[in-house]
Amino acid sequence: SEQVVLRMELPSEAIFADVDQSLLKQAVLNLLINATQAMQGEENKELIVRLVVKNNEALIHVIDTGPGIEQERIDEIFHPYVSNKRGGTGLGLPTTLRIAQEHGGHITVDSSIGNGSDFIVHIPLPA
């Protein structure tokens, strides 16, 4: 199996949010699996999971050093049954988006061709 460097960047203090633990875990796992698959065949594989608080939201970044995604494709990858993977169902990202929305949040993607992608799950924090 190919080696991936995993980095965790977590705040020094705990962040408290009202979430369904198993659903949120599933959402992050989907992003980690996608990121790992996106990096197949790349020279330097690095996966960064970063948690930050900004504007009363918890932001969960899943960052990869894969090939990146064209800007015009970013919306469509969240549509069901759109997959670039052989044997992929195309349900990972739509499910992840739905989980974020069920928590009152959303997902943004910052990606550049050749430099990888940053999928950000936005989860509102209690006031």
Side-chain angles (χ1 to χ4, degrees):
S1 72
E2 303 184 64
Q3 291 208 316
V4 175
V5 175
L6 176 62
R7 295 184 200 283
M8 302 289 288
E9 298 177 2
L10 304 175
S12 49
E13 292 174 17
I15 296 173
F16 294 94
D18 297 319
V19 298
D20 179 310
Q21 202 174 333
S22 62
L23 280 180
L24 191 61
K25 189 163 106 181
Q26 183 64 54
V28 173
L29 186 62
N30 285 348
L31 293 177
L32 290 170
I33 290 168
N34 280 4
T36 305
Q37 290 172 338
M39 291 189 289
Q40 278 178 343
E42 298 287 317
E43 291 268 317
N44 300 311
K45 298 183 206 36
E46 210 173 310
L47 195 49
I48 301 166
V49 178
R50 178 182 297 148
L51 178 61
V52 292
V53 173
K54 193 173 170 187
N55 303 332
N56 219 32
E57 285 184 323
L59 304 182
I60 306 165
H61 293 259
V62 176
I63 304 164
D64 67 61
T65 55
I69 304 163
E70 297 88 354
Q71 201 57 44
E72 58 273 10
R73 285 205 58 243
I74 285 179
D75 281 341
E76 79 176 26
I77 61 175
F78 287 99
H79 297 170
Y81 310 115
V82 174
S83 177
N84 267 4
K85 301 191 289 277
R86 198 170 55 230
T89 60
L91 292 175
L93 286 176
T95 301
T96 301
L97 177 59
R98 198 184 71 237
I99 291 169
Q101 290 168 338
E102 284 172 8
H103 287 87
H106 60 284
I107 295 179
T108 54
V109 182
D110 187 8
S111 186
S112 68
I113 296 299
N115 293 316
S117 304
D118 179 2
F119 281 76
I120 308 154
V121 181
H122 299 247
I123 302 291
L125 294 174

